Amino acid sequence: GYFLTRLILIPTRKTIEAQKRFIADVAHELRTPLAIVKANTEVILLEGEKFDADTRKQLESNIEELDRISEIINNLLTFNRLLRPGRIEFVDIDLSVIVDRAVAKLTQTIRSQNIDIVIKKSDFCSIWANAVAMEQVVMNLLKNALTHTPEGGVITMTIRPDYKGHIELVVQDTGRGIAKKDLFHIFEPFYRGDPSRGRKQGGSGLGLAIVSELIRLHNGRISIKSTQGKGTIVYVLLPCGNYDPRAYDASPGAFQDEISID
């Protein structure tokens, strides 16, 4: 199974390379209308005395979200450049802080879906990473779990050292799981399994593709285990902080994505 999975993922990698160019073109076209919407919102905010506190807060929240979307678009536009680690800044980061921040930003969604979030942290959670990229990774993984976990479900996020030079992030949900036919395609840009689901529920199909690329950039590793009807577990390994992993033999992409099927 392990060797077969590797062979199956080879054409997937080639497909991703071709689709990156398309993603970059689309992202570039999105920048202008996004900038216009943000500018218009900022102009409206200048007339703050015309709005009550709640309206002003909503407009400010819109600007924050527009900034976040802009950051995602920038990452999409620089996919190929991001594959060269020397072009972005790596620092020691407490991964548990990133997880807490992601959960806080999605509090409204979590409450509306009546989802229980359980966070388990070890004392040492330091990773060598880019802060913006790591927040994007964690946000995408959490959003993906929320999308596929029904009301009343549980999502458990665990951060712990593997005592082999890595910090492990585990995101486990009690959702519907991933079909076997979809598992081998989940890292492809724009791939969305089960077309019977609505677009809102199915997502854009970019989340795991972005996660996979960013984790490879960090000399990390992602693996997914899923059982239909029981849920999905995502395992992410990232180099510990306090040292530069680029000084080691491993290079970006040295670890491949893994898929496990029950």
Side-chain angles (χ1 to χ4, degrees):
Y2 179 83
F3 181 69
L4 178 59
T5 298
R6 288 283 191 261
L7 290 178
I8 292 175
L9 286 176
I10 289 174
T12 297
R13 289 296 174 200
K14 294 180 179 179
T15 300
I16 289 175
E17 290 297 326
Q19 289 179 331
K20 282 180 193 174
R21 292 189 295 273
F22 173 68
I23 293 172
D25 290 341
V26 172
H28 182 74
E29 293 299 321
L30 289 174
R31 296 182 78 176
T32 298
L34 189 65
I36 293 173
V37 172
K38 181 183 177 183
N40 289 343
T41 305
E42 289 174 336
V43 169
I44 293 173
L45 269 174
L46 291 176
E47 304 175 355
E49 66 276 2
K50 296 183 179 181
F51 306 109
D52 56 41
D54 288 340
T55 300
R56 185 174 182 83
K57 185 176 180 181
Q58 289 176 355
L59 290 171
E60 290 172 345
S61 176
N62 287 345
I63 290 178
E64 289 178 2
E65 290 303 307
L66 288 170
D67 286 337
R68 188 175 64 84
I69 294 172
S70 294
E71 193 64 53
I72 292 173
I73 288 176
N74 288 336
N75 279 338
L76 288 174
L77 285 171
T78 55
F79 250 177
N80 289 326
R81 190 176 67 210
L82 284 174
L83 291 176
R84 297 192 288 273
R87 291 181 176 266
I88 67 171
E89 180 184 7
F90 286 78
V91 295
D92 282 337
I93 297 171
D94 188 332
L95 184 56
S96 66
V97 172
I98 300 292
V99 169
D100 288 342
R101 189 180 305 160
V103 171
K105 287 186 175 181
L106 295 173
T107 296
Q108 185 174 350
T109 302
I110 292 167
R111 289 177 177 172
S112 67
Q113 294 182 209
N114 190 28
I115 300 292
D116 286 333
I117 302 290
V118 178
I119 301 177
K120 301 178 180 179
K121 309 174 185 177
S122 297
D123 292 335
F124 182 74
C125 300
S126 177
I127 59 172
W128 183 255
N130 175 269
V132 172
M134 277 302 103
E135 183 167 349
Q136 197 168 336
V137 166
V138 174
M139 285 288 286
N140 279 336
L141 291 178
L142 181 54
K143 282 184 176 180
N144 201 59
L146 286 168
T147 297
H148 299 291
T149 301
E151 184 175 352
V154 179
I155 297 174
T156 303
M157 305 182 75
T158 305
I159 312 117
R160 61 196 178 199
D162 71 346
Y163 302 103
K164 297 179 181 178
H166 297 86
I167 297 295
E168 183 178 46
L169 169 65
V170 182
V171 181
Q172 180 174 5
D173 65 58
T174 57
R176 62 180 62 87
I178 303 171
K180 182 177 180 179
K181 66 180 179 64
D182 295 325
L183 272 171
F184 296 110
H185 302 283
I186 55 177
F187 295 115
E188 296 177 14
F190 299 116
Y191 184 83
R192 293 166 62 229
D194 191 358
S196 64
R197 295 203 306 267
R199 181 168 183 81
K200 182 178 180 181
Q201 186 181 30
S204 67
L206 272 174
L208 285 178
I210 293 172
V211 167
S212 175
E213 290 289 352
L214 293 178
I215 290 173
R216 285 164 59 83
L217 164 67
H218 286 75
N219 293 301
R221 179 175 184 171
I222 181 171
S223 58
I224 295 181
K225 181 178 182 181
S226 188
T227 305
Q228 281 193 279
K230 294 184 178 180
T232 300
I233 309 175
V234 179
Y235 302 89
V236 175
L237 278 179
L238 295 162
C240 287
N242 301 320
Y243 72 88
D244 187 342
R246 287 170 289 183
Y248 284 64
D249 291 336
S251 58
F255 293 123
Q256 301 295 319
D257 302 325
E258 289 185 13
I259 295 170
S260 298
I261 303 171
D262 279 356

